[in-house]
Amino acid sequence: MSRTRPASGDAVRRRPKDRKAQIARASAEAFSSLGFHGVSMEAIASRVGISAAALYRHYASKYDLFRDAVLNLGQQLVDCTAFADDTEFEDPHEELDRLVSALIDTALANRESGGLYRWEGRFLRGDDQASLIAQMRTVHHRLQRPLRALRPELVSEQRWTLSIAVISVIGSIVDHRAKLPAVQVRALLADLSAALMATELPSSSDEVDTADDPAAPQPPSTESSKYEALLTESMRLFNHKGYRDTGMEDIAAAVGMPASGIYRYFAGKSDILAAAFRRAADRLSEDLTALTAAHPDSEDALTAVIDAYVARSFAQPELDYVYYTERLNMSPTDQKILRNMQRSTVESIVDLVVDVRPEWTPAQARFAVHAAMSLVIDLGRLMQYSNTPQNRAMLTRLLDVTLLGRYRLRAALPAK
């Protein structure tokens, strides 16, 4: 039986050899930019240039695709640092530099999709969640091994603080779209990581500010307090349960009002989310303006900004985390408004940093400011936002090192 040849000019379609890799890249970028709930199998298939039916031949469900995308990113971090298990290192400084360099290269290669394991990994289930945790633990242990040799005085909690700080700073590049040549990004992140690893961390015996917390503001009017309570309780629930698993009934019950009463203040959950973020952004902007005006010296102003930012993060721990995990649930218009507000805040801090660190360009300072913001979230979560003077001093010192290039001693206030 003779074979029929394709007509002249007809292309013979063949499945690319890297189809699986194409799907992995497309799905990771889609989940990272749109979130787990914002992506469909059809959308991913379209990105790859295949039909949804063809995609289902590779993956039985969206969750299967998501799980592989997240764990693949985690595995890349494990694989790029695997050399640390092969031999005994002779120079712990060199070993640490090699590990940091490998992590930076991997973060840069996955800048469009790295937000997936940072912010969407919470949707992994059971054993899959445990697998991601095990991957990250492996990377931390590899970083901590040469660190232990360099700084044997550190206790376990301090080693974890520093390894998380380094991974946070490196991972911060997936949270923004600031531009800088790759060679400069590598140099900057390596320098920040080295500075963090060398930081003398305050211990519980160190003298820290033990003054009482500022007095609570006077209670607002009844109508205003309902509005404020709705914002506060909503953010608490979004942080604890997640935006999609929090119903209007849950919010109403937390505030002590019928669900229908919420609609006197907000059109829906998305509006609550946007209002809470706008409120926080406005207050942060006001703080920056006031602190800059009160401190003509840029280093004094930057130090005051760091202190205020840390204090606010412990006072309202859910804000930053919920912003990065749930901001995609806002309308596109609200997302754009919040991005512009955040950009304005970052630029105000960048101006101070450049004055203090003239060796940096504004672009380099911008990366450092985002790294500092990432530290506040990741280390705050490590500390479970326990609002103690020691925890605030620890985080303040690491932000000092990141932005000032050194840490400044704060004058301890007498206890009241």
Side-chain angles (χ1 to χ4, degrees):
M1 183 176 179
S2 63
R3 295 181 179 177
T4 302
R5 296 177 180 271
S8 177
D10 288 349
V12 178
R13 298 188 63 183
R14 294 185 176 89
R15 180 181 301 173
K17 292 181 180 179
D18 66 342
R19 176 69 80 206
K20 196 84 170 181
Q22 288 180 355
I23 294 172
R25 284 194 301 271
S27 61
E29 291 176 4
F31 285 127
S32 182
S33 62
L34 300 174
F36 174 70
H37 292 290
V39 175
S40 67
M41 292 289 273
E42 290 75 15
I44 293 173
S46 177
R47 282 179 178 238
V48 181
I50 61 177
S51 67
L55 183 57
Y56 276 109
R57 286 197 291 269
H58 292 277
Y59 292 94
S61 68
K62 184 175 81 167
Y63 178 79
D64 290 340
L65 184 56
F66 171 75
R67 177 197 59 222
D68 282 7
V70 176
L71 295 182
N72 174 63
L73 287 168
Q75 191 60 43
Q76 288 186 52
L77 298 176
V78 173
D79 292 345
C80 79
T81 57
F83 65 84
D85 296 340
D86 294 339
T87 59
E88 289 294 326
F89 57 81
E90 295 182 0
D91 183 346
H93 278 291
E94 180 182 344
E95 183 78 353
L96 203 51
D97 288 346
R98 289 182 65 199
L99 287 165
V100 167
S101 179
L103 291 170
I104 292 171
D105 285 345
T106 302
L108 282 169
N110 294 293
R111 193 175 181 192
E112 296 299 321
S113 56
L116 179 57
Y117 83 87
R118 273 180 66 74
W119 307 116
E120 297 297 305
R122 69 193 191 280
F123 291 117
L124 289 175
R125 305 166 188 163
D127 290 344
D128 298 329
Q129 183 69 245
S131 294
L132 179 61
I133 292 171
Q135 289 172 335
M136 298 310 299
R137 185 180 295 116
T138 295
V139 177
H140 281 290
H141 285 163
R142 287 170 177 167
L143 279 172
Q144 290 174 22
R145 188 163 161 251
L147 180 61
R148 187 183 294 110
L150 287 169
R151 304 186 61 185
E153 79 281 3
L154 296 177
V155 299
S156 176
E157 181 182 1
Q158 292 174 318
R159 288 194 298 272
W160 275 96
T161 296
L162 293 180
S163 66
I164 287 174
V166 167
I167 290 179
S168 176
V169 163
I170 294 172
S172 68
I173 65 172
V174 309
D175 297 334
H176 62 90
R177 292 295 172 261
K179 298 186 183 300
L180 192 65
V183 65
Q184 292 187 35
V185 175
R186 289 187 178 91
L188 177 67
L189 294 181
D191 287 347
L192 292 178
S193 297
L196 289 170
M197 284 293 195
T199 302
E200 293 295 328
L201 298 178
S203 66
S204 58
S205 60
D206 288 338
E207 189 178 81
V208 295
D209 180 359
T210 57
D212 292 341
D213 289 335
Q218 292 299 312
S221 65
T222 302
E223 283 301 302
S224 176
S225 65
K226 285 291 185 184
Y227 181 85
E228 296 294 338
L230 285 170
L231 291 177
T232 300
E233 292 301 320
S234 295
M235 295 302 287
R236 183 184 63 80
L237 288 167
F238 295 157
N239 184 48
H240 177 65
K241 299 179 63 175
Y243 176 84
R244 288 179 176 268
D245 290 331
T246 299
M248 296 294 267
E249 295 79 9
D250 298 321
I251 298 170
V255 177
M257 64 188 301
S260 59
I262 297 178
Y263 296 99
R264 293 176 56 192
Y265 305 93
F266 302 101
K269 277 198 307 181
S270 176
D271 291 327
I272 298 175
L273 196 64
F277 290 144
R278 284 197 299 269
R279 172 66 58 80
D282 283 339
R283 288 177 174 170
L284 181 57
S285 178
E286 291 172 2
D287 285 349
L288 285 169
T289 301
L291 290 171
T292 303
H295 299 278
D297 178 78
S298 293
E299 186 166 332
D300 290 340
L302 182 55
T303 303
V305 167
I306 289 171
D307 291 347
Y309 198 91
V310 170
R312 186 175 290 281
S313 75
F314 279 98
Q316 297 177 297
E318 64 282 346
L319 278 174
D320 287 336
Y321 182 68
V322 173
Y323 174 77
Y324 282 105
T325 56
E326 307 292 2
R327 66 189 186 279
L328 295 174
N329 291 299
M330 293 186 294
S331 70
T333 298
D334 284 328
Q335 289 183 47
K336 183 177 180 180
I337 290 171
L338 262 296
R339 281 197 303 272
N340 290 337
M341 294 176 77
Q342 186 196 49
R343 188 176 295 115
S344 176
T345 295
V346 168
E347 291 308 308
S348 296
I349 303 175
V350 164
D351 289 342
L352 294 175
V353 173
V354 171
D355 283 346
V356 175
R357 307 282 297 269
E359 72 275 17
W360 279 353
T361 65
Q364 289 170 312
R366 199 168 293 118
F367 271 74
V369 170
H370 282 290
M373 290 178 166
S374 181
L375 281 172
V376 170
I377 300 172
D378 291 332
L379 291 177
R381 293 175 68 198
L382 173 67
M383 299 168 182
Q384 298 181 326
Y385 286 102
S386 176
N387 197 359
T388 66
Q390 289 74 25
N391 282 343
R392 293 196 301 272
M394 180 88 72
L395 188 50
T396 296
R397 180 164 295 189
L398 291 170
L399 262 64
D400 279 359
V401 168
T402 302
L403 297 180
L404 292 168
R406 61 186 178 86
Y407 50 87
R408 283 179 42 153
L409 295 177
R410 269 66 167 180
L413 300 177
K416 293 180 180 179

